Structure formats: structure tokens, C-alpha cells
Amino acid sequence: AARRIAVRPVLPALLAVLATLLCAAVGTLRASGSAAALAPLALAFAGASPVRPVRGAQPPTVRPAGNVQQASATEFSLALESGMPVVVDFYADWCGPCKMLVPELEEVARRLQGKVKIIKIDSDAEPELASKYRIEALPTLLFFSANSDKPLGKFEGALMRDDLQKLVEKNVFPA
């Protein structure tokens, strides 16, 4: 008799890996203009539906609420001049792993409140910044020391809050 392999428990993990890889591919292709063709596929892997939007409905976003602030290029420059270390999360609304990172970043920002400033930048809305800092995959975290526009470190992907906090502390508070 043929042996059956249990695929069902592995499927969600496989889809999460595929979504991350697809977000990285779309991020890389964004500069060439080919990303638009892959957006429906990215949405499908991220768990969203690439169906036509309802008239007047707003698309789902990964906008933060609370300790993590949405920033434009100007606000990013002001954050770098704030005298605090800065963590920047480059994201896109269509990116599944970016959406998973929102509550994790919120918790880390709450834990490190007053010690580090955490902001989010929409890479589709600020393509010049994404290009300047060579953002090739989403989500990407950049770590800056106080009053510097040169990143101390870079991380691509999503982490759980405890690992994320360790990464932030390692990069902005080096021993």
C-alpha cells in the first residue's frame, strides 16, 4: 500500500515561506516596473484576495497605531535628528510578512519607549528612500544611531517580539 504523507500541517508554514520569498521578489522587481504584474500573486500568498475592490472601500493597510509612527521622507529626516536611536521598518500594504510584523513592532516600541524611536515607511510611497537605502525585500528594518543617516545594521524579514527586541538592542545599543 502506498504511504500517505501528511501535507496539511505543513501547508501554512510553506505558504508563509512562499509569501516572504514573493515579497522579496516583488521588492526587487519594483524598481524595474515589473512588480505590478506580481501584485495579485503576492496578495494571494499573503492571504488576501486579488478581487476587484468595492467602490469606496479602503484597501487593508499595515498602518501602525500607538508607539510606532508612520513617516514620510521629511519626518524620517526629523526622526534622525531627534537625538535618539531610530529603527525604520520599510514595508508595503500588499506584503503579508509586513502585516505580521506590525503588532510585534508595537510591543517592542512599547517596551523600549523613551530609549529608541521606531517608525514605518511605506516603500511604495517613498521610492527614493527605498532606493537610497537599497531596500530589496520587505519588510526591511534599518537601525540608526542618534543624529546619523548612515545605518548601523539591516535586517530583512519578520521576527517575533522577543527576538525583534534583542535585534533592536544589539543594533542600536552595541556593547
Side-chain angles (χ1 to χ4, degrees):
R3 196 171 139 186
R4 300 183 101 194
I5 299 173
V7 175
R8 188 173 297 286
V10 177
L11 193 56
L14 180 61
L15 288 177
V17 169
L18 288 173
T20 301
L21 292 173
L22 189 57
C23 284
V26 171
T28 302
L29 294 174
R30 183 181 56 237
S32 68
S34 302
L38 293 176
L41 189 55
L43 286 171
F45 276 118
S49 173
V51 296
R52 205 169 353 148
V54 176
R55 184 178 302 193
Q58 294 296 319
T61 65
V62 291
R63 306 260 189 271
N67 296 317
V68 179
Q69 299 302 313
Q70 177 76 25
S72 66
T74 303
E75 293 163 329
F76 168 65
S77 295
L78 292 172
L80 292 179
E81 297 169 0
S82 70
M84 290 180 71
V86 178
V87 176
V88 181
D89 171 26
F90 281 90
Y91 76 96
D93 284 336
W94 48 261
C95 172
C98 298
K99 293 175 184 178
M100 293 187 298
L101 189 60
V102 171
E104 306 305 314
L105 267 179
E106 282 289 338
E107 177 58 22
V108 171
R110 187 192 65 73
R111 292 177 184 177
L112 299 175
Q113 191 168 11
K115 298 178 186 175
V116 64
K117 187 174 193 74
I118 300 179
I119 62 175
K120 295 181 75 64
I121 296 178
D122 184 344
S123 60
D124 290 334
E126 300 289 348
E128 296 84 16
L129 274 179
S131 178
K132 176 181 178 180
Y133 290 105
R134 299 180 203 278
I135 304 303
E136 297 172 351
L138 297 174
T140 293
L141 299 173
L142 294 181
F143 307 94
F144 296 87
S145 64
N147 301 318
S148 174
D149 68 344
K150 303 234 183 306
L152 298 170
K154 180 177 185 176
F155 179 82
E156 296 174 342
L159 291 172
M160 299 306 290
R161 56 191 64 177
D162 293 335
D163 294 329
L164 185 57
Q165 182 174 347
K166 289 176 188 169
L167 181 70
V168 169
E169 290 172 342
K170 175 184 161 197
N171 280 280
V172 297
F173 308 123

